[in-house]
Amino acid sequence: MKNPFKFLYTLLVGFFLLSACSEDDSFPQVASLKVVHAGVNVPTLHVLYTQFSEDFTFANNPVLSFAGNERYPVNADRENPIAFVNSTDTTSTVLSTNVNLPSGNISTLFLTGRDSNLSGLLLEDELLRHRDSTAGFRFINLAPDSQSLTFEADQGIGPVSLGFEEATAFQEVGATAANASYNFEIKNGAGDVLTTYATTAPVFKNTTLVIIGLVDDGSGGNSLQVIRVDSF
């Protein structure tokens, strides 16, 4: 018969080793941050959201252009400094900010404004849980020269009127496995149609429709448009 005391000793050693690993080797907690570039006349940007590593080079760092969006993992439950650096002049930081998100959080940081007046609008993505044949739309107005703009679609969505930097929550809309189609009109306060946008509603998913650009762009090439930002 094996020595019962030796067996007990081995069991206790294993228990304490397991306890030590669970305390010292815990997994880092993270949150999800999507960044949307809606800054009019703001250059393409490097998004620096971690400390520089020894082998960091701007040439190998992805950039974020106007109307583009990217998702970044950030450390949860702590201040995360984020710098937005001009991609053609990497000595120029056009905006610095901090985000502190709880573990498992999903948020979107919208870069908004124009020229040198760039700012960040942070929204938590309170995503809908969908039934079969439904999806979610959220609307936000980031046209810096607008007063109030209205979303309205041909399938009974809206009218939803939003001032600059105003947003709705996600709202449930009909969708099918083949993706229901929606045709939006964006109108000013007088009811004039400024632009249109057609999109599908991906079943079970949540999508943000963002108005960007200028109502009166002159010859600057920043015409009003709608971009689609897909969430989870």
Side-chain angles (χ1 to χ4, degrees):
M1 180 178 177
K2 293 183 178 180
N3 187 335
F5 295 102
K6 183 178 180 181
F7 173 77
L8 180 59
Y9 173 79
T10 302
L11 185 63
L12 288 173
V13 169
F15 172 78
F16 285 118
L17 286 175
L18 183 61
S19 298
C21 290
S22 63
E23 291 178 2
D24 298 336
D25 299 329
S26 57
F27 291 103
Q29 300 299 302
V30 297
S32 175
L33 181 70
K34 177 163 281 191
V35 178
V36 179
H37 188 337
V40 174
N41 293 329
V42 175
T44 299
L45 300 170
H46 288 285
V47 182
L48 307 181
Y49 65 102
T50 57
Q51 296 295 325
F52 289 101
S53 62
E54 291 182 0
D55 59 350
F56 175 86
T57 59
F58 279 105
N60 296 327
N61 191 57
V63 294
L64 187 61
S65 302
F66 179 66
N69 67 89
E70 291 290 342
R71 187 173 298 281
Y72 305 92
V74 295
N75 293 321
D77 302 313
R78 68 184 66 178
E79 291 291 328
N80 291 276
I82 303 178
F84 299 93
V85 177
N86 187 330
S87 66
T88 59
D89 178 9
T90 56
T91 65
S92 172
T93 298
V94 299
L95 179 68
S96 295
T97 188
N98 290 278
V99 296
N100 190 332
L101 305 176
S103 177
N105 180 272
I106 301 171
S107 291
T108 301
L109 178 64
F110 297 92
L111 302 181
T112 176
R114 62 188 298 183
D115 304 314
S116 59
N117 296 317
L118 188 68
S119 60
L121 177 64
L122 182 66
L123 296 180
E124 182 177 355
D125 296 349
E126 297 181 357
L127 305 176
L128 300 177
R129 293 181 179 272
H130 294 290
R131 303 166 293 160
D132 190 22
S133 300
T134 64
F137 278 135
R138 175 174 66 176
F139 308 99
I140 181 169
N141 174 10
L142 295 183
D145 67 339
S146 67
Q147 305 246 335
S148 178
L149 297 178
T150 299
F151 284 90
E152 190 167 7
D154 55 356
Q155 295 195 42
I157 296 180
V160 178
S161 295
L162 298 170
F164 177 54
E165 294 190 343
E166 289 185 346
T168 69
F170 286 100
Q171 63 182 70
E172 190 173 80
V173 300
T176 65
N179 291 339
S181 296
Y182 289 88
N183 298 298
F184 286 91
E185 292 183 335
I186 311 304
K187 303 178 182 180
N188 61 16
D192 303 318
V193 177
L194 303 179
T195 190
T196 60
Y197 182 73
T199 189
T200 56
V203 65
F204 301 125
K205 300 292 180 65
N206 296 282
T207 299
T208 302
L209 299 183
V210 189
I211 304 176
I212 66 171
L214 299 176
V215 174
D216 182 11
D217 72 332
S219 58
N222 293 301
S223 299
L224 200 71
Q225 61 177 298
V226 176
I227 60 171
R228 170 175 160 166
V229 179
D230 293 327
S231 303
F232 288 100

